[in-house]
Amino acid sequence: AWLLPLHYPEMVQKRVILNAPHPAALRRELHRGVGQLMRSWYIFFFQLPLFPEALMRAGDFTLLRRMLTRQPVRPGAFSADDLARYRQALAQPGALTAAINWYRAAFRRPPQPELEDVPCDVPTLVIWGERDAYLGPRLADGLERWSPNLRVERIPDASHWVQNDAPERVNELMIAFLRSNV
């Protein structure tokens, strides 16, 4: 979402980003100290071959269920049906590796720095759950450097799964933004 309009500007009129940092902001925070490094342990763990897939599959996807039930702020943010569907989708042949490969590729072949530093004027709404256990709230600071036509909406009582913790508020913000003349 951050880089697509730089490659294909004709394809993006507006963008809404939920708890996903600009790649340069993530790199900035990873270099700032151990705080974000500790939160982002999974990015480094996913670089290992085979072991992350084995651990994620263990106990019928116990780790995934824990991630989706312990970290959201709102109890029941993920229903039993949601959890079953995630498990079913990731149990498909190659699906779990494909999901983990996103992290592997992003880490091993980061975006070209010359593109990262180009401001993108696409109207952008960032919705940030401030109680994210994986991505610190400072990752939503200073994003105007890369997206001057930007609005950041912080939701104090939402986690990494902001759309599940505060679905009404997220939908309200998205609909208003997408309908606006920005």
Side-chain angles (χ1 to χ4, degrees), residues 43-44 46-49 101-111:
I43 296 173
F44 304 103
F46 286 159
Q47 302 309 306
L48 298 171
N101 279 348
W102 185 90
Y103 292 94
R104 290 174 175 146
F107 193 82
R108 291 178 187 166
R109 191 159 187 257

Side-chain angles (χ1 to χ4, degrees), residues 67-78 129-133 155-162 164-166:
M67 288 170 52
L68 296 176
T69 56
R70 290 187 180 168
Q71 210 274 312
V73 174
R74 184 174 64 87
F78 290 93
E130 294 215 302
R131 290 178 56 190
D132 188 325
I155 301 181
D157 289 325
S159 70
H160 186 71
W161 319 109
V162 63
N164 294 81
D165 279 326

Side-chain angles (χ1 to χ4, degrees), residues 12-29:
V12 182
Q13 294 175 354
K14 291 182 177 182
R15 61 185 168 182
V16 178
I17 298 171
L18 307 178
N19 275 61
H22 188 281
L26 179 58
R27 195 167 29 263
R28 173 194 72 204
E29 291 304 313

Side-chain angles (χ1 to χ4, degrees), residues 14 16 125 169-180:
K14 291 182 177 182
V16 178
L125 172 64
R169 181 68 179 137
V170 168
N171 287 339
E172 173 186 295
L173 290 166
M174 288 174 58
I175 290 167
F177 175 73
L178 293 171
R179 288 184 176 162
S180 72

Side-chain angles (χ1 to χ4, degrees), residues 2 6 22 113-121 145-148:
W2 285 108
L6 295 173
H22 188 281
E114 64 274 8
L115 277 180
E116 270 186 18
D117 287 330
V118 174
C120 179
D121 204 34
R145 172 182 174 189
W146 302 288
S147 188

